[in-house]
Amino acid sequence: MTSLQSQQQRNGGPVLVHVEFEVFGGVQGVHFAKYCKEMCDRFDLKGWTKPSAYGTVMGIIQGEKANVDEMAMWLQHQGSPGSRIEHCELRNWQILDRCDYRNFNVRF
């Protein structure tokens, strides 16, 4: 049994997680942040995303682990129409007691 599974059993509910992401490739100028927000809203995820000065898109996602995992797959493999994902770094995974954000926003 993984530590996340044992955490879920102790709490009696879904595990909340936090992850930071940065997506590399052709991800600016293709409405990546807008589609990212739509997907996060669909999965009831909290946090933010923004284009970086280095041509990447970065952000933080928080929510139920299963939904964060689905969003991580979208960030790594699908992205917005017209985007070209080279790779996605997912780092600083943490288990949360509660989310730090009320909703998901696009920052500039």
Side-chain angles (χ1 to χ4, degrees):
M1 178 181 324
T2 68
S3 61
L4 285 177
Q5 289 171 328
S6 60
Q7 176 85 15
Q8 186 171 3
Q9 287 180 347
R10 280 196 303 272
N11 291 346
V15 175
L16 297 177
V17 297
H18 161 107
V19 66
E20 298 167 10
F21 69 89
E22 188 167 9
V23 185
F24 297 78
V27 292
Q28 288 192 3
V30 290
H31 305 288
F32 195 95
K34 174 187 156 230
Y35 280 91
C36 183
K37 177 182 174 18
E38 288 177 6
M39 292 300 295
C40 285
D41 288 347
R42 184 179 304 168
F43 287 122
D44 192 31
L45 298 173
K46 317 300 183 207
W48 56 267
T49 188
K50 71 176 186 175
S52 77
Y54 307 104
T56 64
V57 174
M58 57 192 310
I60 292 175
I61 299 171
Q62 297 180 341
E64 292 184 17
K65 183 178 183 315
N67 293 345
V68 171
D69 288 345
E70 286 289 327
M71 189 61 199
M73 293 297 290
W74 185 88
L75 290 168
Q76 291 172 303
H77 302 290
Q78 184 175 347
S80 65
S83 66
R84 183 186 42 79
I85 297 170
E86 289 176 8
H87 73 280
C88 175
E89 292 180 6
L90 301 167
R91 54 187 172 264
N92 199 21
W93 284 87
Q94 300 173 24
I95 297 175
L96 302 173
D97 291 328
R98 61 179 172 72
C99 292
D100 299 321
Y101 303 94
R102 288 181 185 234
N103 50 31
F104 195 89
N105 292 305
V106 176
R107 296 180 177 179
F108 295 97

